[in-house]
Amino acid sequence: QVQLVESGGGLVQAGGSLRLSCAASGRTFRSSAMGWFRQVPGKEREFVAAIKWSGGSTAYAVSVKGRFTISTDNAKNMVYLQANSLKPEDTGVYYCASGAFAAVARAYDYWGRGTQVTVSS
């Protein structure tokens, strides 16, 4: 079992930045990667970024590439999402997930409860 707890969300003006954190505990060695997804009411959960625990390979959604950076602190079992140049369309609940290195939600086995990010125009 893996437990994931997100933090760092909030209200920010367009152009601003936030740093989201995800604390992973439990059997984290069973997963090869971590991902961030986001969701707004009435829409499907959307891939944002993913990173491999080993080697640090990353992947990003086209909509966030160049603005967001995913990283890990392997010693602390932490995953971060640095979100810069935020836009109103980045608003949503951001979820941390543990699983395979992929851009689809079904590849991830464990999910946190999410943290709300609201970007005002």
Side-chain angles (χ1 to χ4, degrees):
Q1 196 77 355
V2 175
Q3 293 79 43
L4 304 172
V5 180
E6 302 95 337
S7 61
L11 173 63
V12 63
Q13 287 188 333
S17 298
L18 282 174
R19 189 193 194 205
L20 306 184
S21 300
C22 174
S25 60
R27 294 184 174 179
T28 55
F29 65 87
R30 291 186 177 271
S31 79
S32 60
M34 299 294 292
W36 285 98
F37 288 74
R38 64 189 182 192
Q39 190 170 24
V40 295
K43 291 190 175 182
E44 290 189 357
R45 201 162 289 191
E46 174 190 25
F47 170 74
V48 175
I51 187 168
K52 290 185 176 180
W53 281 114
S54 178
S57 297
T58 58
Y60 294 93
V62 172
S63 60
V64 306
K65 200 166 188 177
R67 300 188 296 121
F68 290 15
T69 302
I70 189 171
S71 62
T72 62
D73 183 332
N74 289 25
K76 297 181 179 180
N77 281 340
M78 294 290 296
V79 183
Y80 304 100
L81 185 70
Q82 178 66 44
N84 299 329
S85 302
L86 283 160
K87 305 175 181 180
E89 51 264 42
D90 293 318
T91 293
V93 177
Y94 282 68
Y95 296 92
C96 173
S98 170
F101 185 67
V104 292
R106 65 177 180 270
Y108 294 83
D109 303 308
Y110 299 98
W111 295 81
R113 292 190 171 187
T115 185
Q116 176 71 45
V117 171
T118 303
V119 184
S120 63
S121 57

